[in-house]
Amino acid sequence: MKLSFFLAASLAVAACSAQAQDRIVAPSPSSRAAVDLFDSAGAAAPVRQAPVAELGLPLTIQESKASFHRVAVGGQTYWIKGVHVRILRGAEGGCATQRVDSQPTIATPGAGQNACK
Amino acid sequence: MPASDARRRLWPLALLGALLAGCETMPPALSQLPGISGLAQKPASPLDALPAPEARAWPDPAQDVVNQRARGFGLVHAPEAQRYLNGLLARIKAAALVPEWPGEVHLLAQSSLSAYATAAGNIYVSLPWLQSVQSEDELVALLAHEFGHVYLHYHSLEGAIASADTAAGFASLGLGIAYKTAQAQGWSQVDTLQATYALGKTLTTALYGQSQEGAADRFALHITHRLGYSYEHGPKAFLERLGGWEQQNEALELQKQEALKQAIQASALARAAQGAPKSNNALSTALNDASANLQAGLDVGMNQAAFDLSRWIGKFTSAHPDTVKRQDRLAEIAEQYPAVAEERAPAQAPLQAALAQKRTQAILKNYQTAYKAMEAPQSPGAVVLARQAASGPTATHAVPLFALYTAAHAQPGAVRGLPRDLGSLFDANFNSEIDRAWALYTERSTRLKEDGQRDASKRVLERGLQHFAVAEETMPYAVKFYGETDGWERARQQAQQCRQRFPRVAERCQTAARSPQEVAEIDRRTQKKASDITDRWLKKK
């Protein structure tokens, strides 16, 4: 293994910028009471509906295909439609330059809050 | 807990509630701003035609770019990546029927997920966004959101802030007093009043900002749909990524807070132990220990209360509404108008091709390496990594050079082959017109000044000012620098010129022109005033 690769890997572990694995954390919109469960990606009709409480959130996404995500619910494998759930997605960002960064003013609207506080 | 203590802790909440209730009546100047009365207020179909944009005078986009280069580590010169991004922006403008509008996409050198737009029509996106998005759909959603701010003329807010100033300052004074009384120790009165002035200003403008974010999200939904991109992989994924980023940092903040709590607890225990009478009596020792533990617990509790309060205030005063609420609003629109959420395959190939371009790939890799070295400059190998980062296409870029400078400073033994004067590493950046970053000039001149090399320090700063003459961001630093090196009379003259040339940073220039004696006198007066007001308040209660 190259030294630089090893060093990069070691630092990546120490750094705060590790990208988390995407997972399903909630229904979408939050007011949705039940989520359709399908037996295959792209299936026309759900095999059943599961109340949100029954899903056991958060759910690890095992595979994604055609806007469907494969998950395990109650020990069974199902596919869930991506638009029916909220996914927590990883990001490659970190706060390394925070000390020098200047924050946008109110007149320079950004895509979100400054997360590096 | 004594009743008076409980009351003191509840005041901030009560006051904040009153302030927030007051915010429902926005200053007239704010309620009449474009976007508030139209798209921002009534839910509209994302498939409807966009409202016609308002006529405007465009600030000079080139000057805007110079100004942004003077902020933080400035911009990243990555021509192929920028060409790709500008191609996407051109399609967004065409879809919004304003293809002739000025403005380009530029890459920020920041390590965080950051993006913003300016009144000149330029959009600034940090490199980690490019590495985080999973498809072109998501990238276009981000750019369309930013362009939405330009289209909806969000920047009108800038003019309106002035008229909201007085009321906000008044309200924040009350909050400052309340906040101060909630803290047994910590911030001084001066800090509290200054910070809450800014907070009050934010409270007044937050509602406008929040409604504009919602409008920009809907704008992005409209544009991405019109361009054939997917809702799920576009606007939805973009907001989910933002949510993930915020949560990632929230967790980091909680870790830091926990460490702080433990440090406070240890310090309180040590203080109590020092103050306790020395005794060999077992009972007395046990009582002292119990008392010390109790005091430590109280200190931590107070600290935690202040932390929670500031987080709570932050939620209400942020110009960006809660990201989950933004996601829900879009999801509800998608439910209401199923056509907008129709299944579409994400466009991944064009994004992958753009990121695989040789120079772009090297730039992204080198920045990622530089960020890692900067996050842990004392880690074994940080200098090696930073050296790699400051090579190839990024040999003259500010962030990789700063990473090398920082890591080499942190590990003096590991600097073989580097110049003895590490600050001279920045010369590569100073000599590259396209990569120059103001932050490196300030770092270099500050260090030289601290080392007693006044003339050399001045030369560096003046060289920087030659390149950034039109950048307002440089002015406050320059005013202070000349005050410290040439006297405060010169600083005051410069502050006056700054006021005429750059009204937006006039206040910062004026503050920078204060001599240490003037700063001490202002602090003394402010502290006395704050103390008088607090005393009056507490007596009334």
Side-chain angles (χ1 to χ4, degrees):
Chain A
M1 185 189 293
K2 278 188 176 176
L3 176 65
S4 60
F5 180 80
F6 173 75
L7 292 172
S10 310
L11 281 177
V13 171
C16 70
S17 58
Q19 185 161 12
Q21 190 186 3
D22 294 353
R23 58 191 196 275
I24 293 169
V25 292
S28 179
S30 302
S31 55
R32 180 184 292 281
V35 173
D36 293 340
L37 301 178
F38 299 81
D39 61 3
S40 62
V47 285
R48 70 180 183 97
Q49 276 203 325
V52 171
E54 197 190 295
L55 292 175
L57 297 169
L59 294 170
T60 303
I61 297 175
Q62 299 168 349
E63 185 188 354
S64 297
K65 198 193 287 180
S67 294
F68 282 75
H69 304 293
R70 184 160 62 86
V71 294
V73 177
Q76 297 271 316
T77 296
Y78 293 103
W79 292 80
I80 288 180
K81 266 193 167 179
V83 289
H84 289 170
V85 288
R86 175 151 47 86
I87 296 170
L88 194 71
R89 295 181 190 266
E92 285 290 345
C95 299
T97 60
Q98 180 186 4
R99 192 168 68 83
V100 174
D101 291 340
S102 60
Q103 295 310 318
T105 65
I106 191 75
T108 51
Q113 301 179 40
N114 166 38
C116 290
K117 293 176 186 123
Chain B
M1 182 193 301
S4 60
D5 279 1
R7 206 166 54 223
R8 276 167 55 175
R9 290 184 186 194
L10 286 175
W11 280 5
L13 306 183
L15 241 168
L16 184 63
L19 285 168
L20 289 169
C23 273
E24 283 176 17
T25 313
M26 279 186 284
L30 284 180
S31 62
Q32 285 161 21
L33 285 170
I36 277 285
S37 54
L39 187 59
Q41 272 188 337
K42 61 174 184 193
S45 163
L47 306 176
D48 285 351
L50 291 170
E54 299 190 13
R56 66 197 68 189
W58 294 96
D60 179 0
Q63 182 167 337
D64 180 61
V65 172
V66 176
N67 203 39
Q68 301 308 315
R69 278 176 58 191
R71 303 178 72 182
F73 281 112
L75 307 178
V76 180
H77 179 59
E80 291 80 11
Q82 283 171 261
R83 199 173 305 132
Y84 169 63
L85 291 166
N86 280 310
L88 296 178
L89 180 60
R91 291 178 58 207
I92 291 168
K93 286 179 187 174
L97 307 178
V98 288
E100 75 289 357
W101 274 17
E104 292 184 347
V105 185
H106 298 273
L107 289 165
L108 292 166
Q110 287 183 20
S111 59
S112 59
L113 251 68
S114 187
Y116 57 86
T118 59
N122 287 323
I123 293 173
Y124 298 88
V125 178
S126 66
L127 281 186
W129 265 116
L130 287 188
Q131 291 157 304
S132 297
V133 295
Q134 297 291 302
S135 69
E136 192 171 87
D137 305 52
E138 195 178 339
L139 190 54
V140 169
L142 164 67
L143 296 175
H145 172 97
E146 290 310 323
F147 185 71
H149 286 303
V150 178
Y151 187 94
L152 298 168
H153 212 175
Y154 181 94
H155 304 85
S156 306
L157 178 60
E158 201 169 29
I161 284 178
S163 63
D165 240 1
T166 311
F170 210 71
S172 63
L173 188 66
L175 185 59
I177 292 162
Y179 195 34
K180 176 195 168 302
T181 56
Q183 289 187 311
Q185 52 196 1
W187 280 8
S188 73
Q189 291 158 332
V190 181
D191 287 339
T192 308
L193 284 175
Q194 283 173 345
T196 50
Y197 172 74
L199 181 68
K201 197 168 171 176
T202 311
L203 269 173
T204 318
T205 54
L207 286 184
Y208 180 74
Q210 291 191 1
S211 62
Q212 275 289 319
E213 287 304 322
D217 286 339
R218 285 198 294 279
F219 180 90
L221 188 60
H222 174 101
I223 294 293
T224 49
H225 183 78
R226 186 181 277 196
L227 288 174
Y229 292 107
S230 143
Y231 153 71
E232 184 192 352
H233 302 285
K236 180 175 179 286
F238 154 60
L239 286 179
E240 288 171 339
R241 184 94 45 211
L242 206 54
W245 162 245
E246 286 168 6
Q247 197 178 85
Q248 191 176 312
N249 283 278
E250 183 85 0
L252 196 70
E253 184 63 29
L254 286 173
Q255 278 174 22
K256 279 194 275 183
Q257 188 65 21
E258 189 53 40
L260 181 67
K261 267 168 64 182
Q262 285 175 9
I264 291 170
Q265 193 158 22
S267 140
L269 280 168
R271 270 206 317 276
Q274 273 177 359
K278 299 281 176 273
S279 169
N280 291 328
N281 178 305
L283 179 62
S284 173
T285 306
L287 279 174
N288 284 337
D289 286 351
S291 164
N293 273 316
L294 181 66
Q295 184 58 46
L298 278 173
D299 283 356
V300 172
M302 289 304 281
N303 180 270
Q304 190 62 38
F307 174 70
D308 288 342
L309 179 64
S310 66
R311 279 155 56 92
W312 195 63
I313 290 170
K315 275 200 187 304
F316 281 101
T317 58
S318 168
H320 288 83
D322 189 297
T323 307
V324 171
K325 281 187 191 153
R326 287 169 66 186
Q327 290 168 351
D328 279 345
R329 275 186 216 128
L330 275 200
E332 280 155 11
I333 293 172
E335 294 256 294
Q336 204 174 344
Y337 302 99
V340 84
E342 67 188 3
E343 211 172 297
R344 288 172 172 176
Q348 288 168 323
L351 174 68
Q352 284 164 359
L355 298 184
Q357 195 280 329
K358 200 176 165 191
R359 178 157 50 171
T360 301
Q361 201 173 31
I363 291 171
L364 290 173
K365 182 171 166 264
N366 286 2
Y367 269 78
Q368 207 165 24
T369 307
Y371 295 147
K372 281 173 186 162
M374 283 167 75
E375 277 172 356
Q378 285 168 327
S379 297
V383 174
V384 175
L385 282 181
R387 268 188 157 148
Q388 284 174 8
S391 66
T394 56
T396 53
H397 287 212
V399 165
L401 287 170
F402 192 82
L404 182 55
Y405 167 85
T406 308
H409 261 301
Q411 301 182 53
V415 296
R416 278 194 302 275
L418 290 178
R420 184 184 294 259
D421 173 15
L422 291 173
S424 67
L425 286 169
F426 296 165
D427 287 347
N429 178 262
F430 297 160
N431 292 328
S432 171
E433 189 176 345
I434 200 77
D435 297 315
R436 279 181 198 128
W438 174 247
L440 297 197
Y441 286 97
T442 60
E443 172 67 20
R444 180 75 167 135
S445 69
T446 301
R447 295 289 160 253
L448 287 169
K449 183 153 61 75
E450 283 174 1
D451 291 345
Q453 301 184 57
R454 203 181 109 154
D455 290 344
S457 163
K458 234 169 143 176
R459 277 198 300 276
V460 169
L461 188 82
E462 279 167 358
R463 203 174 149 198
L465 283 172
Q466 272 178 2
H467 301 304
F468 289 96
V470 296
E472 63 188 16
E473 280 296 321
T474 61
M475 288 300 120
Y477 179 89
V479 167
K480 192 168 194 312
F481 181 90
Y482 283 118
E484 287 168 352
T485 54
D486 291 2
W488 296 99
E489 186 51 40
R490 175 152 187 213
R492 277 188 283 277
Q493 287 167 4
Q494 292 233 322
Q496 193 56 34
Q497 287 172 12
C498 167
R499 176 171 292 281
Q500 286 161 2
R501 287 183 67 202
F502 305 113
R504 282 200 305 192
V505 293
E507 286 301 310
R508 283 165 58 197
C509 285
Q510 196 174 339
T511 304
R514 286 177 190 151
S515 69
Q517 291 80 8
E518 286 171 311
V519 171
E521 176 59 18
I522 290 168
D523 280 356
R524 191 189 63 74
R525 278 195 224 150
T526 312
Q527 202 149 2
K528 183 174 182 318
K529 192 174 173 185
S531 183
D532 290 349
I533 295 170
T534 307
D535 288 348
R536 273 210 303 278
W537 254 68
L538 293 175
K539 273 178 197 163
K540 276 182 190 171
K541 292 279 167 186

